[in-house]
Amino acid sequence: MPEDRVKVILEELYRRGARPRKRISMRLLTAASTAASVAGLIVILVLARGAEAPLMSISDVYGNYLMNYAVVRLQGVVDGVPYLDNSTGRLTIRFALDDGTGTMNVYAYQPVSLELLRLRRIPFPGDIVTVEVQLRVRETYTYGILQSAEQIEIESPAGEPVRVKKLTTDMEGLLVRASGAVTSSRLVSSGILFTLSTEGGEITVLAPELLRFYDQERYEELVEALRPGALVEVEGIVYLYKGSSPEIVVRGFEDLKLKPPEKPVVAKVADLPGLVGKKVKLQVEVLVEEYVSSSREYTLVLRDETGSAAARAKREVLMEADPFALSSGPASVVGRVAEGGLVVVEAIEPAAAWSGRYVRVGDLGTLEEGVFVAVRGSVRDLVKRATFAIFYLDDGTGSIKVFIPVSVLQRIGFEIEEGAELSVAGYTDVYRGELEIVVFSPLGVRGG
Amino acid sequence: MLDPLSVVLWALFGVAVGLLFSWMPGFHVYNVIALLTATGLTFTFMPSDAFPFFVLGAIVSFAYASTISTVYFSVADDTMIFMLFPTQRYLVVGRGHEAVLLTLIGAFGASLVLAASLPILPLVLPTLRDLLNPYIPLFLASLVVFMFMSEWLKVGDRVENPRLRIAVAWTQALGGIFVFLASGVLGFILMYTNFLPARVAYVRLTPMFLGFFGLPWVLLNILSDVRIGEQITEDTVATDPRALLNGLFGGVLGGYIAAFFPIITGGMGALVAGHMTSQRGDDTFIVSQGANRFVYYVGAFLFLFLPTAAITRGGAAWLVSGVYQPKTYREYVYAAGVLLLASGVSFLGTLLLSKAVARVVTRHYKTISYAVAGLLFLISWALTGFMGVVVMVVASLIGLAAAFFNTRRSYCLGGLIFPVLLSMTGYTEVFASLLGL
Amino acid sequence: MRGLVHFLSGLAAATFFRGLLMDVQRGCLAAVIPAACAYLPDFFDFKFWKFLEKWDYNVDPAPQDPSESKAPKLVKIAELSDDDRYRFYALKGRVLEVTDEGEKLTFLLDDGSGRMRVIALKEDREALLEALGGPPREGDEVQVSGYMDYLDGEKVFFVADAPHPMYVAERIARAIDDAYSKGEVRVKVQTIRMSGDVYRRYIIDLDGENRVVRVAMGPLVTVGGNPLEERGVPEYRRVAEARTKARFVKKYPKPTVIEAFSGPTIGFKREGDVVEEVFLPWHREWSHSFVTGVLVAVIVYILGWLAGYPNTAQLSIASLAGFWLHIVEDQLGFMGGNLFFPFTSRRIPGLGIAESGSAVMNFATAWLMISLMIANLNRFSPKPPIPLPYTTLVLLLSIPSIALYAYAVWRWLRERTKVKAEEIAAKEAMEEEEELGGA
């Protein structure tokens, strides 16, 4: 109880005998501990200066929980396009490093990521990179965190780029240059993916989203400029997407040179053999022969009073054309003439607006296969699957099967329902002996 | 997936390990887990999905049993230290066991609150984390600035001359700044260089913390000339319900703050909560310490079990996540059960330990202090080698400086806070260049 | 309010400014400055102004041993002067000539510098005998504590475990008379720290009606104010009185209790024909002025501008808001502040809604600030995680604060009295000084 303590205090106050009390100078202790701390820190600092992070292999550190928080150096080749994300308001950069023993992701968080961006010190596929990272070892994955923008060394492929007309898988990591016309372009999660038509074929090019972080305005201009028909010269590294599809990855805006658009030559079909390599503009009737799913292209027949020619067009090109207007009459087709007079179509535009004329279902059998038609009626026997929708349109004169692929169905903007009154426009096709209308564009479906 | 009985058994094993070691001064349960992990002993017979529950049991028992070392083994001579901590004051008046009991009451109350909050955490925490994550550096820096600004300058109050008075008073404040910066430099070197080999990276900060918080107090015990009276080991406490509730509320609040925010420790969380709830009184303070420590250690570790967003906080969580990451709601519910079971067992175990230690400490506390000092050197050497011992010695000198300057011991957390703040604000490279690294 | 609550207010003020928050994400932590400015008023006082105060009287009834920082200080007999009468010291020396007369034990002590008669009376005699394990014998080396006094013109040393309260009473009475002639006097009253981090409580009672300064020595207490002993000091040296010539007025009817940590400064100021007591005169003067806040904001602006910081205007406005919030929050208490220094010279009392240490008010304010912070961080997020409109979120989150404020106001309206206000103001001032920094 407290009284005991009072007793102890009283014993301190009144004492018999000259018990020498240990006196420790607090000032001395304070000064000594301060001085010794500083001396100790200096010793540690001197020793630390000579302690380099060990160069380790990914297989040694991956999954090794004893290495959690270790600072190590890794060296390898960058595998894949760097990924940038600022959805949370803070920029994160991630790239994968492959040192031959394994692959590991390296992250840079803000503000290091901002500094890397500012210094343009972001590695690309094919770059040999040495990084000093702090490891984080989780149960199922291990990654490294870059602590400073100074702790990454990048060795990019150097030398003169090799001019190519087509890509093969053995070109991985090679610095190349190619030029041609854009035949299709779309925005994907990793950037602008476009196809370049060269004399040797087609080359896929990726302008990575990283460029948007470099200069948002310029990137948006690029999105607009990289339309089918644009003439471009690109330089970049060949990267194998998913390990098998080669594409050129551009590393900066300076690696993408857009040439002034070529003015198309107004021509007739009969003129085409003499215009190989040129960009032409034709006023023709367009018929669809077939859709080649592997290349996502349509093979077409272009016909005018001077003859007919074969053509091919990317799915995206046809998707942008108004099928209702195409059903009214000829179209203006812009494209580049390839060997043999084949036209690689870059744009199709109906020559005139839609007349409003519908074909009666009962008359469809009299028409040529592959023509553009517009019909209307009630939806019957609607069947929806993962990759398409099929229904019959009944206008009182008969029923016609309508096929809509899922790529179009998803973009229509409304649900097609059994019994609904619908207008559709597309091309006629015979599938397994049955005549059907293939709707190739979301513009080809209207309610009522 | 483990069956419930296995979960219970592994958790109780963890409790036993925790009770065995946690009462010893300087022994942090993270050190024990790290030692067991490093030697691989745990994995020769423990399935990896049992590891989180074993660690949870150990942490719960640590949250309870470590109060014994706080109360009984950090005695200070009042001639060397300006102000004793409440638990020290209880010890010197023979009421050490009562201080332990108050802490246990706080811890037990906190365990009930924590268990009750578990259904809400998966809903609230992910949103809070998304909201606050971008601003963690701001909160951390704010807390550090507040700690410096609010430090009570204890000395110099009796000096007649105003200029000398302010100079004497400010030696404490400047001493605090020195401790923060010195520990910050040490922490920076350990975090960003390979002064300690990479193979011991997962425990690279252990010798530093042993040096900051373990060894200085043991050395002070050895240097001091304190007589500790006979301890009363009756299970009674002199307090009132209002003080208990105030302490519990403040402690839980502080513990949640410390558990949620990275780097912010229990002590800093307690400072925040203590101000927010305006705590007064030794009994309130001790209860809040018990609650705070429980929620800080156990709550932080429990975040790892959150199915909606596994938040990794604390050394134990990082270690466990490298081995096995709990994923399911079932494991989350198991964790709730383990929390309560381990709390009950640890409460009783700690109570018994306290009585046993109370009988011994009065007679042999200096001998125990010598033994503990030796043990700390041994742990440091076993985990991190000779260089780790060097780190521990230097950190001890800094920790002692904190004591002799009469400044906050928590400034030693600069060893963690300073390098992290530099990293978050992008000045790591600048500071490294400054040090020539 | 407690310090952190003020600090949080400044931090909350900073979160109203998008520029400051965006800078945090870029690694610039300027948003801490408004929080620091919100704490500045108390920082100025407790870190600087308090120490720079000049004391006219330093009343230290129990000087501390410089190496042990506790009383009693060991002195030589030759060092004891008239000024040391009634002060608590320790003497160590050889015992000569012991006389034990039942209730009175007397012996001569020779410490090498001189000789002095040591007298132990009544309970003090019993305590001494118990501590020494029996009466001292001639030739024994002993250490005793107590105070010097005069008996029949001779300096003697009375064995005691505390100073005589007359030491304090006399000096305060003298200070009051001095204040009457000089205009103002500042008295620092020191605490009595004993072994084991316990303190000797004593009480100063200013009886203006009878012109008496009364001091009573109390029991040993813990830092938290809990007594360790029931009876305290023996009756014969428990209370002392000293008379003043000047009339004086004590604003706060209850006595001033001196316990642990740091003793208060009491100002005595002549107002007309009486001397008024001013508690903690250095606190909440120029530091707690709206004008000072403006000055601080201007300094912040200038420094920001010199540093080329782009959001300087936002920073200085937030700093001003933080500083002013501190003043407003303090006005909810009792002590108030000198709000318009240098244009005013006196503290304006607070509204007295609750003490500065009130758990209800502190938590309510802290929670309100946290609610505002959460709402601001949410609305400035590119993708707000909480899908609620700003006002709704603020209202929802602040429900606990609103309820607590309502409770505090209700209590205030119910219990408001002038006497209580002044008494609590004094207690508030003492508690603010003792704010513990923690470990």
Side-chain angles (χ1 to χ4, degrees):
Chain A
M1 299 314 271
E3 289 292 339
D4 288 350
R5 183 57 201 165
V6 174
K7 224 168 104 176
V8 169
I9 292 170
L10 292 176
E11 281 169 12
E12 294 239 346
L13 294 179
Y14 316 119
R15 214 179 290 134
R16 189 195 297 276
R19 184 169 69 135
R21 206 173 147 114
K22 184 169 61 179
R23 296 258 168 171
I24 303 171
S25 165
M26 290 307 297
R27 261 195 208 164
L28 185 62
L29 281 175
T30 308
S33 63
T34 308
S37 314
V38 172
L41 278 175
I42 291 171
V43 167
I44 288 179
L45 186 59
V46 166
L47 292 172
R49 278 179 183 169
E52 213 185 42
L55 183 68
M56 300 193 78
S57 65
I58 290 174
S59 59
D60 281 341
V61 304
Y62 205 97
N64 183 353
Y65 53 82
L66 297 177
M67 295 293 285
N68 204 2
Y69 283 97
V71 175
V72 298
R73 280 187 307 131
L74 302 170
Q75 191 179 71
V77 175
V78 173
D79 181 17
V81 180
Y83 172 73
L84 281 78
D85 172 43
N86 69 343
S87 56
T88 59
R90 291 175 71 81
L91 179 67
T92 301
I93 297 175
R94 182 191 76 212
F95 61 89
L97 200 63
D98 183 344
D99 72 347
T101 69
T103 307
M104 194 170 85
N105 281 333
V106 174
Y107 286 83
Y109 298 115
Q110 206 162 301
V112 173
S113 54
L114 289 176
E115 187 63 9
L116 286 177
L117 199 64
R118 189 185 70 82
L119 295 170
R120 301 279 169 109
R121 205 178 285 172
I122 297 174
F124 276 83
D127 287 346
I128 297 171
V129 166
T130 307
V131 281
E132 191 171 302
V133 295
Q134 194 174 64
L135 296 173
R136 293 286 188 275
V137 180
R138 298 281 210 170
E139 178 199 355
T140 53
Y141 71 98
T142 301
Y143 60 97
I145 301 176
L146 194 63
Q147 302 294 313
S148 151
E150 306 299 322
Q151 286 168 345
I152 179 169
E153 286 165 22
I154 302 171
E155 208 183 298
S156 299
E160 197 55 34
V162 175
R163 185 164 279 282
V164 297
K165 291 179 187 171
K166 64 178 183 181
L167 297 178
T168 56
T169 53
D170 56 4
M171 288 180 183
E172 187 186 10
L174 197 63
L175 182 63
V176 299
R177 185 180 287 145
S179 56
V182 174
T183 54
S184 72
S185 132
R186 64 183 205 271
L187 274 176
V188 295
S189 59
S190 45
I192 310 168
L193 191 69
F194 61 96
T195 319
L196 219 52
S197 171
T198 68
E199 288 157 33
E202 288 203 328
I203 289 176
T204 306
V205 182
L206 176 71
E209 222 215 343
L210 162 64
L211 300 183
R212 180 168 68 82
F213 290 87
Y214 284 159
D215 187 333
Q216 170 130 359
E217 212 177 296
R218 225 170 143 185
Y219 184 81
E220 281 164 10
E221 282 170 11
L222 202 59
V223 171
E224 281 307 308
L226 286 173
R227 289 253 174 240
L231 290 176
V232 184
E233 184 172 271
V234 301
E235 189 180 303
I237 292 289
V238 177
Y239 162 66
L240 295 183
Y241 176 66
K242 289 192 178 174
S244 57
S245 304
E247 61 187 33
I248 298 175
V249 177
V250 164
R251 294 183 298 182
F253 290 108
E254 61 279 5
D255 293 335
L256 264 166
K257 294 182 184 68
L258 278 130
K259 296 182 184 171
E262 189 183 336
K263 220 173 158 198
V265 174
V266 175
K268 296 283 181 190
V269 170
D271 302 329
L272 291 177
L275 293 168
V276 172
K278 294 270 189 283
K279 191 170 178 176
V280 296
K281 186 174 181 177
L282 308 162
Q283 197 85 351
V284 288
E285 190 189 346
V286 180
L287 292 109
V288 178
E289 262 195 353
E290 68 170 335
Y291 175 69
V292 181
S293 54
S294 57
S295 58
R296 295 216 279 207
E297 285 180 332
Y298 290 94
T299 56
L300 308 171
V301 172
L302 308 178
R303 197 156 61 193
D304 69 5
E305 65 277 11
T306 66
S308 62
R312 66 169 197 266
K314 288 281 181 196
R315 185 183 74 178
E316 292 76 30
V317 170
L318 217 58
M319 237 191 221
E320 286 183 11
D322 179 3
F324 284 94
L326 285 174
S327 70
S328 287
S332 177
V333 172
V334 174
R336 194 166 292 278
V337 183
E339 288 292 337
L342 172 79
V343 178
V344 178
V345 177
E346 293 169 4
I348 297 179
E349 217 178 291
W354 182 42
S355 61
R357 194 177 81 89
Y358 289 100
V359 174
R360 295 188 321 162
V361 172
D363 296 336
L364 281 173
T366 63
L367 297 176
E368 208 177 338
E369 204 180 308
V371 297
F372 294 110
V373 295
V375 297
R376 65 178 167 188
S378 316
V379 174
R380 300 264 179 269
D381 301 330
L382 173 64
V383 171
K384 283 186 184 173
R385 294 281 179 266
T387 54
F388 61 84
I390 286 178
F391 56 89
Y392 286 85
L393 214 55
D394 187 337
D395 69 350
T397 68
S399 261
I400 180 73
K401 188 174 169 189
V402 177
F403 174 87
I404 306 180
V406 72
S407 56
V408 171
L409 200 63
Q410 284 168 349
R411 290 175 167 92
I412 287 174
F414 61 92
E415 284 291 319
I416 298 174
E417 282 165 18
E418 182 75 25
E421 291 298 315
L422 216 59
S423 302
V424 300
Y427 64 87
T428 57
D429 186 35
V430 173
Y431 182 70
R432 291 186 179 174
E434 189 181 0
L435 185 67
E436 64 181 20
I437 294 173
V438 177
V439 179
F440 58 86
S441 167
L443 300 171
V445 181
R446 296 179 187 180
Chain B
M1 181 71 64
L2 284 182
D3 57 280
L5 180 63
S6 299
V7 169
V8 166
L9 290 174
W10 286 116
L12 287 176
F13 179 45
V15 170
V17 167
L19 284 175
L20 185 62
F21 292 104
S22 299
W23 64 272
M24 299 182 198
F27 243 103
H28 202 289
V29 72
Y30 293 170
N31 301 336
V32 179
I33 296 165
L35 266 169
L36 290 174
T37 311
T39 56
L41 277 175
T42 32
F43 303 113
T44 52
F45 57 89
M46 188 190 304
S48 59
D49 53 355
F51 191 49
F53 299 106
F54 163 76
V55 171
L56 180 58
I59 289 178
V60 168
S61 61
F62 168 76
Y64 280 88
S66 60
T67 193
I68 288 178
S69 67
T70 308
V71 170
Y72 291 111
F73 295 114
S74 60
V75 177
D77 188 334
D78 55 15
T79 62
M80 300 183 74
I81 306 300
F82 185 83
M83 188 177 81
L84 301 183
F85 297 117
T87 49
Q88 291 168 324
R89 287 196 281 271
Y90 270 70
L91 181 69
V92 296
V93 298
R95 294 159 71 185
H97 183 68
E98 186 181 341
V100 169
L101 193 45
L102 282 168
T103 316
L104 296 187
I105 290 170
F108 190 72
S111 69
L112 297 177
V113 172
L114 186 57
S117 70
L118 288 179
I120 308 165
L121 290 181
L123 304 168
V124 169
L125 278 187
T127 304
L128 262 183
R129 183 197 55 185
D130 290 344
L131 184 67
L132 300 176
N133 255 7
Y135 306 103
I136 299 272
L138 175 64
F139 298 126
L140 199 53
S142 298
L143 196 50
V144 171
V145 167
F146 176 70
M147 281 171 65
F148 279 118
M149 288 185 83
S150 67
E151 183 175 8
W152 172 49
L153 301 181
K154 312 171 193 78
V155 296
D157 203 42
R158 308 181 92 90
V159 177
E160 289 263 7
N161 182 289
R163 281 185 203 168
L164 190 58
R165 194 185 314 147
I166 197 170
V168 169
W170 270 82
T171 51
Q172 178 189 326
L174 294 172
I177 294 170
F178 165 75
V179 167
F180 185 81
L181 289 176
S183 54
V185 168
L186 183 60
F188 185 89
I189 293 171
L190 292 178
M191 277 189 182
Y192 295 112
T193 71
N194 279 272
F195 180 78
L196 292 180
R199 61 175 170 77
V200 298
Y202 75 111
V203 286
R204 73 202 190 296
L205 298 181
T206 299
M208 183 177 78
F209 283 117
L210 286 179
F212 285 151
F213 301 112
L215 203 50
W217 287 104
V218 174
L219 291 175
L220 283 173
N221 287 351
I222 292 169
L223 285 174
S224 74
D225 192 23
V226 174
R227 287 159 44 205
I228 303 173
E230 283 292 317
Q231 299 294 310
I232 300 149
T233 55
E234 286 165 27
D235 294 332
T236 55
V237 291
T239 184
D240 66 82
R242 205 168 156 176
L244 283 180
L245 282 171
N246 191 353
L248 181 62
F249 181 65
V252 167
L253 181 63
Y256 270 125
I257 292 169
F260 177 77
F261 286 98
I263 314 302
I264 292 176
T265 62
M268 295 158 79
L271 173 67
V272 170
H275 275 245
M276 280 174 67
T277 55
S278 195
Q279 284 175 0
R280 296 225 172 253
D282 285 354
D283 50 351
T284 304
F285 181 82
I286 295 173
V287 168
S288 84
Q289 286 292 296
N292 174 281
R293 190 189 344 230
F294 187 88
V295 176
Y296 169 55
Y297 283 110
V298 180
F301 186 71
L302 270 176
F303 291 166
L304 194 65
F305 289 81
L306 277 172
T308 51
I311 298 174
T312 314
R313 293 281 185 263
W318 273 107
L319 190 59
V320 169
S321 69
V323 175
Y324 179 77
Q325 169 72 51
K327 303 164 190 65
T328 64
Y329 273 101
R330 178 181 287 197
E331 287 166 317
Y332 190 58
V333 173
Y334 280 165
V338 165
L339 188 168
L340 291 169
L341 171 68
S343 287
V345 173
S346 302
F347 185 103
L348 296 169
T350 308
L351 212 54
L352 293 170
L353 273 172
S354 172
K355 291 182 182 184
V357 170
R359 282 181 206 117
V360 170
V361 73
T362 50
R363 289 184 276 277
H364 304 295
Y365 95 89
K366 277 217 179 180
T367 312
I368 293 170
S369 300
Y370 278 114
V372 168
L375 203 57
L376 293 178
F377 273 92
L378 195 62
I379 296 170
S380 193
W381 180 80
L383 282 174
T384 52
F386 175 71
M387 287 310 205
V389 174
V390 170
V391 169
M392 190 178 74
V393 167
V394 174
S396 305
L397 291 167
I398 298 172
L400 282 170
F404 296 145
F405 274 115
N406 280 310
T407 191
R408 286 179 149 123
R409 270 191 313 162
S410 46
Y411 286 141
C412 292
L413 290 168
L416 198 55
I417 296 170
F418 186 71
V420 168
L421 267 177
L422 284 176
S423 170
M424 285 178 172
T425 51
Y427 288 100
T428 300
E429 197 54 41
V430 171
F431 194 72
S433 317
L434 212 64
L435 294 180
L437 294 169
Chain C
M1 293 285 172
R2 299 297 294 272
L4 185 81
V5 178
H6 293 308
F7 199 85
L8 280 175
S9 305
L11 200 57
T15 62
F16 279 89
F17 297 92
R18 180 193 285 267
L20 299 181
L21 287 182
M22 295 304 111
D23 283 344
V24 171
Q25 297 192 28
R26 286 181 216 115
C28 172
L29 301 178
V32 177
I33 294 173
C37 286
Y39 189 74
L40 267 185
D42 286 345
F43 182 79
F44 285 145
D45 278 352
F46 290 108
K47 299 293 184 297
F48 292 98
W49 206 235
K50 167 184 167 181
F51 296 104
L52 291 172
E53 188 190 36
K54 194 173 171 307
W55 306 328
D56 299 296
Y57 286 81
N58 181 13
V59 179
D60 189 2
Q64 291 182 346
D65 186 306
S67 64
E68 297 190 350
S69 300
K70 60 182 180 181
K73 181 181 174 185
L74 190 66
V75 292
K76 291 288 187 189
I77 290 170
E79 290 170 3
L80 289 172
S81 66
D82 289 344
D83 263 347
D84 292 316
R85 188 181 182 190
Y86 299 126
R87 261 177 144 180
F88 187 52
Y89 284 114
L91 298 178
K92 189 162 78 169
R94 199 161 45 89
V95 173
L96 309 167
E97 294 175 23
V98 180
T99 315
D100 194 351
E101 296 163 18
E103 279 209 329
K104 180 178 171 184
L105 171 72
T106 313
F107 59 90
L108 196 62
L109 192 74
D110 183 346
D111 73 352
S113 75
R115 290 180 180 188
M116 187 175 279
R117 210 146 52 97
V118 176
I119 301 173
L121 296 174
K122 300 178 186 173
E123 295 96 325
D124 293 314
R125 174 185 167 278
E126 282 163 29
L128 179 66
L129 291 178
E130 193 176 338
L132 295 181
R137 296 175 296 268
E138 275 183 48
D140 277 351
E141 285 287 326
V142 295
Q143 179 176 307
V144 289
S145 305
Y147 59 88
M148 185 203 80
D149 199 353
Y150 290 95
L151 191 63
D152 304 323
E154 182 201 348
K155 273 187 194 173
V156 294
F157 194 79
F158 281 96
V159 169
D161 56 5
H164 197 285
M166 186 57 87
Y167 180 83
V168 178
E170 273 183 353
R171 273 152 188 79
I172 292 184
R174 212 180 299 159
I176 292 172
D177 288 335
D178 246 358
Y180 189 83
S181 57
K182 289 179 186 167
E184 187 178 351
V185 147
R186 297 242 174 139
V187 181
K188 171 72 175 178
V189 184
Q190 302 284 4
T191 54
I192 301 171
R193 186 181 187 234
M194 308 288 285
S195 185
D197 202 30
V198 300
Y199 289 78
R200 171 75 62 187
R201 174 193 287 167
Y202 65 96
I203 291 162
I204 302 170
D205 179 27
L206 297 178
D207 182 354
E209 234 179 83
N210 299 304
R211 299 195 202 184
V212 162
V213 175
R214 196 172 295 113
V215 175
M217 273 299 146
L220 289 168
V221 296
T222 65
V223 165
N226 298 315
L228 285 178
E229 49 184 5
E230 283 172 21
R231 283 176 312 146
V233 303
E235 186 94 39
Y236 76 90
R237 56 182 174 85
R238 193 176 294 164
V239 183
E241 289 183 357
R243 293 198 168 275
T244 67
K245 294 185 196 114
R247 280 178 53 222
F248 65 89
V249 152
K250 181 173 167 57
K251 280 186 170 170
Y252 321 113
K254 285 208 173 167
T256 305
V257 180
I258 315 297
E259 284 181 326
F261 302 123
S262 178
T265 314
I266 308 172
F268 293 106
K269 197 171 176 180
R270 181 175 173 174
E271 296 289 339
D273 202 38
V274 293
V275 172
E276 272 187 16
E277 181 197 19
V278 180
F279 213 67
L280 292 190
W282 49 268
H283 189 32
R284 296 199 189 170
E285 292 286 326
W286 60 270
S287 59
H288 284 62
S289 161
F290 288 114
V291 178
T292 309
V294 171
L295 189 62
V296 165
V298 166
I299 292 172
V300 167
Y301 185 87
I302 291 171
L303 291 174
W305 175 72
L306 286 171
Y309 179 60
N311 293 313
T312 299
Q314 292 185 19
L315 185 65
S316 62
I317 294 169
S319 301
L320 178 66
F323 197 100
W324 280 9
L325 273 170
H326 182 128
I327 298 169
V328 168
E329 285 159 3
D330 277 350
Q331 282 304 113
L332 299 178
F334 289 82
M335 200 179 184
N338 190 353
L339 302 183
F340 300 101
F341 177 93
F343 306 111
T344 53
S345 60
R346 293 175 75 97
R347 289 199 287 241
I348 298 169
L351 293 172
I353 295 175
E355 300 170 36
S356 67
S358 157
V360 166
M361 286 299 278
N362 275 283
F363 188 76
T365 309
W367 189 259
L368 177 64
M369 295 306 155
I370 290 170
S371 305
L372 288 170
M373 274 194 265
I374 289 176
N376 286 333
L377 296 185
N378 191 59
R379 75 170 159 149
F380 288 134
S381 291
K383 285 183 192 167
I386 306 173
L388 288 173
Y390 178 74
T391 320
T392 311
L393 184 58
V394 169
L395 283 171
L396 271 175
L397 287 173
S398 11
I399 287 171
S401 296
I402 295 168
L404 288 169
Y405 279 134
Y407 169 71
V409 168
W410 170 76
R411 224 175 42 180
W412 170 57
L413 290 170
R414 215 180 57 156
E415 295 172 8
R416 198 164 39 149
T417 66
K418 189 172 185 296
V419 166
K420 195 169 173 63
E422 286 163 344
E423 160 193 328
I424 293 174
K427 184 176 162 218
E428 189 177 273
M430 292 282 277
E431 281 178 352
E432 253 192 23
E433 244 216 297
E434 297 165 10
E435 223 174 60
L436 281 172

